Amino acid sequence: MTGIVEAAWPGLVLFDRDGTLIRDVPYNGDPELVAPMPGAAAVLARLRARGVRTGVVTNQSGVARGLLRVAQVSAVHRRIEELLGPFDTWQVCPHGPLDGCRCRKPQPGMILSACAELGVPTSATVLIGDIESDVRAGQAAGVYSILVPTPVTRAHEVAHAPVVAADLPAALDLLLPAEVRR
């Protein structure tokens, strides 16, 4: 596959949070437990150096389940930014799986909100995530979606994903034509 962008980078790259940008600690409300995924800092630095906007789209059902407070989620996000730098948008769904909201992945609400907030069309947006609901949300929003599997990613999710990358740096390479990958 050649890069999706023939001469330029995408305008916006959205990342899933847990398992994609940071190690997945279920219902994490403790900033001290935040650990970036391998390659995350370098990928973000490379995107920002090229003027690409970045954002996070994350389901945080622990809020709806009473396992987390919004203040804890915000504290974790502050720690992520301390470690990985600032993001142009944070989109958080605090709802549970049965709440029927339009924002919870695999629904496209957070992606569409991020694009609208930043004025970037979906055609210039990429979503990178580690599970099927991330990819399905991206597809529903009409953005280019890349699955970066982790040990929790199921085999059928990998088999059905339209684009799979071994890790975050490999996902970034998929976005570019070969001559720009340096």
Side-chain angles (χ1 to χ4, degrees):
M1 159 182 239
T2 60
I4 64 159
V5 182
E6 292 306 315
W9 291 58
L12 171 61
V13 178
L14 297 171
F15 296 87
D16 169 58
R17 190 187 91 170
D18 302 312
T20 303
L21 281 178
I22 62 170
R23 300 231 180 251
D24 188 3
V25 176
Y27 307 114
N28 182 24
D30 183 354
E32 295 302 314
L33 298 179
V34 172
M37 292 295 284
V43 163
L44 288 162
R46 194 168 170 202
L47 289 168
R48 291 174 181 136
R50 296 281 182 144
V52 177
R53 300 180 95 178
T54 59
V56 179
V57 290
T58 180
N59 289 345
Q60 293 298 314
S61 68
V63 174
R65 298 170 198 253
L67 301 171
L68 293 170
R69 294 183 318 278
V70 171
Q72 290 174 293
V73 173
S74 295
V76 166
H77 292 172
R78 284 191 300 277
R79 179 65 178 151
I80 293 169
E81 287 196 329
E82 287 172 7
L83 296 171
L84 298 176
F87 290 88
D88 295 295
T89 186
W90 283 89
Q91 300 291 322
V92 180
C93 174
H95 305 109
L98 302 177
D99 289 345
C101 66
R102 290 187 37 95
C103 53
R104 183 177 173 77
K105 294 178 288 179
Q107 298 300 316
M110 289 189 287
I111 297 165
L112 296 174
S113 291
C115 290
E117 176 186 326
L118 299 176
V120 178
T122 56
S123 61
T125 301
V126 174
L127 174 74
I128 301 174
D130 67 318
I131 60 174
E132 183 180 45
S133 67
D134 298 321
V135 172
R136 287 181 46 212
Q139 290 173 318
V143 305
Y144 187 83
S145 302
I146 302 172
L147 181 74
V148 177
T150 65
V152 302
T153 310
R154 297 178 179 144
H156 79 273
E157 294 175 325
V158 176
H160 291 101
V163 181
V164 179
D167 55 24
L168 285 173
L172 186 58
D173 284 345
L174 288 173
L175 302 179
L176 304 172
E179 63 272 11
V180 183
R181 290 184 187 165
R182 296 180 206 123

